[in-house]
Amino acid sequence: MEILTETVKVIVETIVGCTTGAVGRQMDYLISYKKNVEKLSNKVDDLEDARKSVEDKVEAARKNVQEIDAKVLRWLERVETITKDAPKFLKEEGQAKLKCFNLKARYQIGRRAHKMGLAVKELKDTADTFDTVGHRVDLRGGTTIFTKGYEDFESRKSTLNGIMRALKADNIRAIGVYGMGGVGKTMLVWKVATQAIEDKIFETVITVVASQTPDLEKIQKDIANELGLSFEDKNTDFQKARLLRERLKGEKILVIIDDIWNKLDLDVLGISFEGDHKGSKLLLTSRSLDVLVTDMDVQEKFEVGVLSDKEARSLFSKIVGDLAENLNLQSTMVDVVKECARLPIAITTVANALKSKKDPNVWKNAVRQLKRANPTQIKGMHEKVYSSIKFSYDFVTKEAQSLFLFCSIFEEDKVIEIDLLWRYLVGLDFFEDVYKMEEVRNMVHTLVNSLKDACLLLEGNRSGTFKMHDVIRDVAIYIADKEEKMLTIRSLEGLEKWKDSFGIALFDVDFNELPERFECPQLKFIFLANKKFPKQPIPNNVFEGMKELRVLVLINASLPHLSSISCLHNLQSLFLDSCELEDVALIGELKNLRALTLSGSNIKQLPMEIRQLTRLQLLNLKRAELKVIPSNVFSHLRGLEELYMSRSFNQWHVDGEITERNNTRVSELDHMPLLTTLDINISNPKILPKASLFEKLERYEILIGNNWDQYWYLGSVEFGISRTLKLELDRGLQVEDGIKVLLKSCEYLELTPKEGIKNILYEVDKEGFPQLKHLYVRNSTEIQYIVNLMEFKCVAFPVLQSLSLHNIENLEEICHYQVPMGSFLSLKKLKVRKCEKLTSVFSLTMFGCFSQLQEIKIEDCKVMCAIFSKERKHEIQVNHDIRTDIIDFTQLRSLYLQNLPNLVGFHPDADSQLLFNEKVAISNLEEIYIEGIDNLKMLWHNHQVVPDSFCKIKKLHVGSCKNLMNIFPPNMLRRLRNLEELTIEDCNLVEEVFEVRGENVDEICDKGSTQLRHLTLNNLPKLKHVWTSDPEAILTFQNLRQVEVSKCETLKSLFPISLAKHLEQLESLQINDCGLMEEIVALEEGLETTTEFVFTRITSLSLELLPELKYFYPGKHTSRWPSLKILKICKCNKVRIVASKELSFPNTDGLDHHVPVQQPLFLIQKDTFPNLKELNFDWYETMNQTNGRLFGEFFCKLEVLRLDGKDDKLIAGPSVFVEGLRDLKSLSVSNLFFDNEGQYAGTFDRLTELNLYKMPKLMLLWKENSEQGRAFQNLGILSVSECGRLKNLVPSSMHFRNLNFLSVRKCHGLINLATSSTVKSLVQLKELNIFECKRMREIVTNEGEGEAGDEICFNQLIFLHLDDLPSLRSFHLGNRTIKFPSLESLYVTRCPEMKIFSNGVLSMPKLKVVGLGENGWSVYRKLLPEEDVNSAIKRFWEENYDPCVQQLFTEKENGVEDSEDDSEDDSVDVSEDDSEED
């Protein structure tokens, strides 16, 4: 009966559904319930595949130092939820109810399955849009600075200290360091940079090198990259400069430009620190004082001279070591040092040459050689520098000399990769009895190391690289060109003088400027590189007649024909990198070729003719677009020793498969008996070559499987290792002999285990991976253990240095059963992520094996409850001498724990919800990152902490720990003396950060000060105290530099008074959105004397959204801010900002209770803000003219001013305020209007930037012929937005000869922008943007009929963007000629009425593409031959015009316009009424 009732009910509901028009959908739920469930199951499977693909991308992005996009993380979270809910629904509800004949149940199942299926499909479709999942992390801090080898000489200290003082001085913008080449300028400024970073003087330090031939574009790009600023291809030079200039304003930056030879126009590049730049500085070095003073306009200059005699002897003795004490050498050593002329580079090179020579005769001969060396004419170089470098050069072998001279062909300050260098050298016969590639490689590595030992080469910025000091390079060039007959062409100028040249090295040459033919028959090598795009063709006959050419390197060239190359019969090394190639068959004629590189080329097919290169030893096809390699090509290359095919060909032929192409087989590699290096991807594991091939390999990077296309080049690169294997492994594959060989020999192994694999050791390898250094296991559904030693015994991973485990769903333990001694003893890094069943990382009995760990990173392990687990029954103690009750990680430096919701502690015996209990000792830990651990209530034990633990912590980040209540208990305070950075955020229950109590009994660390410099507290809604009481007796905080506090709703004050009085180092204080904060410094009860606060170094103070703020300090006090440059006070409605005279301070009532009176935030005197440059604050109607006069009088040095009125009420601004601001350069005003308009014209004589926003009463910026208007004629930037009643932007009488940027947005009263006569004055305008002005019909309008024939010319305009202008019909409705001689970028979007740009003659000679679009985004359209912009717009409308859509668009715009106009007019009327009443 119940079933029948339910059935009737469902039928009735369905009938009702019919009456509402949803019958089909509702009935389908009932009828197709089973199909809906099946569809859901299939869609969930598809979503799982998509998730794995996205997770692979995420992991690869993280390896590539990218930050994952928030939308991707949110997508993964949604997928996580739905992939748990859907199977549960399918299993529990679906299976149960499908068996029951119940119409209601079936209807509900069908409906829910359908809805869930839609959600699953949406997520799957979204995954397809993730072309990228991350972006490069903003690596703050700037350039990596190397100071290895810096000596702290006494003679340098005064210079160093002077530079440091200049960097801290407010009035100094540019500093110069000069001295002769080799005296140590670069090393000194690197030391300055290091010191500036340590002292936190700058937020970012950047170093770039100018050199004798500066690449200005590269300098600009390098600085931008260090700041995380990316230029787009469409950006013009002007826009790039403007972007960089704005980015440099964002923080306090030190830019070091080393080795300037001539004037650099940095301002053109956007590298300028004039005006508002928050104390940023330029530090420049040069050999010429005149260049620094005259050309670069430095304000302070410092000379770097030679060392003192004592310092010179000390440096020399330090390098030669014990030989300095040898009595037989001491007298000669004095002469040697004397000949080095106290120059550091000379002393270093000579001393390194002699440091292993014990024969006195060798030292005497050194003196003779140093005296006889001829001085050179190298600009800015002491003659002794040349002689000392030449002496060191003479001391190395002939082969090292040849290599040294060859290295000078590279660009100055170039980081040179050794693995590229030795390939270039193949064929130059520098080395005797060296024939094989392996021998060439080993020889070059050996010689580079010997030249480094001799200080003729420097270490590079990464493993396998080196650099050459600019001074040493100058000497090398001199020797190569003048003495050793290795004359090299480095410029296209005067080619006729260079007929006997040894080589050509042009690394940034315009191929269009190359001669038709080089008349240099003796050339041995050519390097030609073009940095421009698109790729330029090389003249077809340029290489004719070069019969002696042995090495040819072309980079980024277009080579449609290779006829001139095919005649180079002596060529032994051909290097075509990133070249456009068509037919390369002619390469087959180069029978003597030993090395061929086609990396990064667009070649689609390797020609059969390649097999004619029987002497070929190296073939590099990396990153080529190869689709076809014919069979029997590789099998003929029997002499090949090295084959590189990464990110290139992988379409190997498989026997039995029918394909369109007859590609080569992997088995052809078996015919290469000499192969020692192989870089290859084999997607099908069934076609591996013979195991004997792998046994011969010295180095390899081999990928086996299908899922490596996007990521396979990542991973092993960061470790600098030579044997890499990436493998999709199943049970069938692991028995292959070739796989076994690779597993035994590889150093880096990346595994994706497939079906049937339960553990890595012993199922994958039974010998313990004796050579493996790095193991990365990912994406497995069956792996239970990494190591399972239950059935056999062996030492596991004895040399493993890093272990990464990612997305191993069923991983239960890393090590199962007893692990023998010697296992994991080299392990330094452990990373575990997304291992859903892993409850702990280690067991206590295994601690001895993992005691060398330096970095632990655990993420997204949902059920992990402790880092260590108790020993299991099958485990015994590894070493009975080791105590397992105390976990002592003596080497651990970094601990990263994120998204571990069930973690309760580090130790299995942890107290309830305590991360580190009394059994955890980590004595050298420096960085702790804790995020998303919901179970934690405390980090440290309240009373018991192991002695000497946690005393070296430098950085602590705690975030999103929902139940955490405090950060530092009393017993931890004295351990914080090394703490430098502290960040606490998104912790809902944290009430205090530093718990200071009357008794802090822990005495393990001496009393003193902490190094805490950066304190960030964000979104701590229950925070009551940062310090519970005065910490001065225990720990002082005088090193604080930057404090940021935001969204701490219950925090009433920030600093205790004793702490606030000693913030001498504080540079920035920002407090934002703290709803209950009443005072910055808490009142000290009983203190009756006046307290003085002096903040000597603070440069930025920002107070925002503090509605209850009343005082800086409620007691009697004064404050001084001598360095303050930026002051921002917004949305602090209850505080009085300034007063100028003595006020009545709080008194006490009879009960000694303070009775505060309203007093100002600042008591202003003449010296309160002597250096304030930027002011941003709200102006309320309560601020009268007295306030304005105070501001104008005491803030008279202001350069940047922003005034904001109230959003809901228009009020009058303080004209009396701005009258006194004679230095003002930038003014921004919103929601205000100025009284007494026109009375303060002289104020704006220096104004260069004006921004007006939301000023609905504004009808004219200035009146015709007004004094006020003429005062604005120095403007460089003008931006006007949401000024709805503005009728005229610029009167015809105005002339803006300095304006270079103009932007107008949402000014619906404007019918046009300017008249033709006004436009003529815009001679410097470079960028013009006009957006969302609904009534604007034309940009430039006529003034009179008589001027119809005149022309309008925007001489400097480079960028023009017109967007969302529904009434715009044309740029100019008249017939005037309009010229844009400099225009490079034009965008016209959402302008439906604009069918033609202009009726008159139009000239835009530099414009090649135009951006047109109906929506907010534009599509580039390349102008056709003989096509102008008018024709392009016409073509656009012909291709896209739809009358119906056009009608709807027009109606919509008119509707929006009317509604906006109505609302705007209403708002204006209300504002006027309110202002009059006030």
Side-chain angles (χ1 to χ4, degrees), residues 836-860:
E836 300 289 347
K837 291 190 177 180
L838 194 64
T839 58
S840 64
V841 182
F842 318 100
S843 70
L844 287 175
T845 55
M846 297 178 189
F847 170 69
C849 292
F850 296 95
S851 59
Q852 299 302 309
L853 274 171
Q854 296 178 5
E855 178 182 335
I856 297 176
K857 187 172 186 179
I858 317 291
E859 299 178 82
D860 302 316

Side-chain angles (χ1 to χ4, degrees), residues 1348-1363:
D1350 295 345
E1351 69 177 28
I1352 301 170
C1353 187
F1354 291 86
N1355 281 312
Q1356 301 296 322
L1357 193 67
I1358 297 171
F1359 183 92
L1360 171 60
H1361 192 172
L1362 309 175
D1363 176 55

Side-chain angles (χ1 to χ4, degrees), residues 575-833:
F575 194 101
L576 306 177
D577 182 49
S578 302
C579 291
E580 289 183 358
L581 307 173
E582 292 184 11
D583 184 6
V584 295
L586 288 175
I587 291 177
E589 299 180 16
L590 304 176
K591 300 295 192 300
N592 288 309
L593 208 59
R594 296 172 60 197
L596 172 61
T597 292
L598 301 174
S599 58
S601 69
N602 65 334
I603 180 175
K604 301 294 190 297
Q605 178 170 342
L606 201 64
M608 288 291 294
E609 287 78 3
I610 294 295
R611 65 182 184 176
Q612 298 171 200
L613 304 177
T614 55
R615 296 187 180 183
L616 197 66
Q617 296 169 278
L618 182 149
L619 178 59
N620 184 353
L621 303 173
K622 279 187 174 185
R623 298 177 290 106
E625 300 175 12
L626 275 172
K627 304 297 180 186
V628 179
I629 298 179
S631 60
N632 296 320
V633 171
F634 282 164
S635 59
H636 280 70
L637 303 178
R638 297 183 60 82
L640 204 64
E641 300 172 20
E642 308 204 356
L643 175 61
Y644 302 90
M645 301 178 68
S646 62
R647 284 176 281 170
S648 180
F649 179 82
N650 68 348
Q651 299 180 22
W652 304 95
H653 181 75
V654 179
D655 290 335
E657 289 187 0
I658 300 174
T659 59
E660 295 180 6
R661 308 181 182 100
N662 185 22
N663 267 334
T664 185
R665 292 168 170 79
V666 176
S667 58
E668 288 193 40
L669 302 180
D670 294 329
H671 298 279
M672 299 178 180
L674 304 178
L675 198 66
T676 62
T677 301
L678 181 61
D679 189 348
I680 193 173
N681 183 11
I682 303 172
S683 57
N684 190 335
K686 298 178 181 178
I687 59 171
L688 297 179
K690 294 178 181 178
S692 58
L693 174 74
F694 296 139
E695 289 173 348
K696 294 179 297 186
L697 295 179
E698 296 287 337
R699 61 190 57 80
Y700 55 79
E701 183 160 3
I702 298 174
L703 287 82
I704 301 173
N706 285 309
N707 295 321
W708 306 106
D709 291 348
Q710 297 181 58
Y711 321 112
W712 65 292
Y713 59 93
L714 297 172
S716 59
V717 176
E718 62 183 293
F719 300 111
I721 60 178
S722 59
R723 295 193 297 276
T724 294
L725 175 63
K726 302 192 178 185
L727 178 63
E728 289 183 355
L729 184 66
D730 57 34
R731 277 208 174 274
L733 186 59
Q734 69 187 86
V735 299
E736 292 281 343
D737 291 339
I739 297 296
K740 292 179 180 178
V741 170
L742 293 172
L743 288 172
K744 288 179 182 178
S745 63
C746 66
E747 296 176 326
Y748 178 98
L749 174 61
E750 185 165 336
L751 275 179
T752 301
K754 298 298 184 182
E755 292 78 8
I757 306 292
K758 302 292 186 182
N759 62 70
I760 305 302
L761 184 68
Y762 76 114
E763 289 186 19
V764 178
D765 179 78
K766 292 182 174 63
E767 298 183 10
F769 292 95
Q771 298 190 53
L772 191 63
K773 295 180 180 178
H774 308 279
L775 174 61
Y776 177 31
V777 186
R778 64 174 184 145
N779 297 343
S780 170
T781 58
E782 297 191 27
I783 288 284
Q784 288 179 283
Y785 316 114
I786 301 303
V787 178
N788 183 2
L789 298 179
M790 180 173 285
E791 298 182 15
F792 81 111
K793 295 292 180 288
C794 74
V795 174
F797 303 107
V799 298
L800 193 70
Q801 297 174 14
S802 68
L803 174 61
S804 296
L805 309 174
H806 174 229
N807 196 30
I808 308 177
E809 295 179 9
N810 282 302
L811 185 67
E812 297 175 8
E813 299 175 58
I814 294 177
C815 298
H816 182 63
Y817 215 72
Q818 175 188 348
V819 180
M821 287 296 295
S823 300
F824 293 104
L825 282 184
S826 299
L827 192 64
K828 302 291 192 299
K829 293 184 180 180
L830 174 65
K831 298 182 180 181
V832 181
R833 184 169 180 269

Side-chain angles (χ1 to χ4, degrees), residues 1351-1355 1377-1382 1401-1405:
E1351 69 177 28
I1352 301 170
C1353 187
F1354 291 86
N1355 281 312
T1377 297
I1378 304 182
K1379 295 182 178 180
F1380 297 88
S1382 304
V1401 177
L1402 191 61
S1403 173
M1404 300 177 177

